[in-house]
Amino acid sequence: MAGTNKEYTSNSTDNVSSTKGVRGGYIFVAPTGTALPTDYSTALPTAYKCLGFISEDGYVETVDSDSEDLVDMNGDLMDSPQTSRVESAQLTLAEIKAMTLKLMYGDENVTDKAGVITVKHNGNSNGTWVVVLDLLLKNNRKWRKVVPLFQCSELDDLTLAVGELAARALTAKYLTDESGNTCYDYIQSTETNAA
């Protein structure tokens, strides 16, 4: 388990796991520019608001990249530099509340006043946010995923019917931050102790 200061020299089931969200709250959002966490355990500042449940489909992260093969006059491959890289996530936020709607439709397009949430549907919905996921691996091993520039880029169909979750699946792009990164993962080690 974590913190044992051992190096595995063969396969180990300690490092094989499924993933689940931390019970009570596992996806959080804050305005862009909010201080980012830099580990898996420090409590999030109050600027981070819980987005609530994610549907049973989970959080699906995708990396799409392209490369261009460079060949010499004999047709031999000399290099294959990456020409593009886009990281994104697909998820369905299950709770209908102002914060989840702001993420999908834009901060300026959603108000919650006097007991009424008002949502304006228009093309001004591409703001960026900081998103943090607090996850657990096997044996309560911690994993925190931090996306500094999370931008909703696509909303799926909304089906309103009994027996169906009243929610839209969304796709979000991870924009590149000032350090050239799109995401940070902080995972509790099984091989080294915490400092």
Side-chain angles (χ1 to χ4, degrees), residues 55-73:
S55 77
E56 65 181 344
D57 295 328
Y59 188 95
V60 181
E61 191 174 76
T62 304
V63 177
D64 289 319
S65 61
D66 289 314
S67 61
E68 185 67 35
D69 289 347
L70 302 176
V71 296
D72 73 358
M73 63 186 295

Side-chain angles (χ1 to χ4, degrees), residues 81-184:
Q82 189 176 77
T83 56
S84 69
R85 181 187 180 284
V86 176
E87 193 165 5
S88 62
Q90 298 80 39
L91 65 150
T92 301
L93 296 168
E95 296 189 28
I96 301 170
K97 60 183 184 178
M99 199 65 244
T100 60
L101 296 167
K102 286 181 178 189
L103 188 77
M104 292 187 285
Y105 296 100
D107 189 37
E108 302 294 320
N109 291 326
V110 178
T111 57
D112 186 356
K113 295 180 181 173
V116 178
I117 299 173
T118 302
V119 182
K120 298 175 186 173
H121 296 231
N122 56 48
N124 301 321
S125 59
N126 58 355
T128 59
W129 302 85
V130 178
V131 168
V132 172
L133 278 96
D134 280 340
L135 307 167
L136 290 176
L137 299 169
K138 182 171 66 180
N139 298 323
N140 290 320
R141 188 174 163 206
K142 296 177 182 177
W143 179 356
R144 177 172 277 169
K145 181 173 287 293
V146 179
V147 184
L149 295 168
F150 183 100
Q151 183 178 73
C152 186
S153 63
E154 183 180 332
L155 294 176
D156 208 343
D157 296 338
L158 174 63
T159 301
L160 301 174
V162 68
E164 294 286 334
L165 181 63
R168 290 183 189 271
L170 68 88
T171 299
K173 301 288 175 69
Y174 297 1
L175 307 184
T176 305
D177 71 6
E178 60 188 18
S179 299
N181 300 312
T182 53
C183 183
Y184 297 87

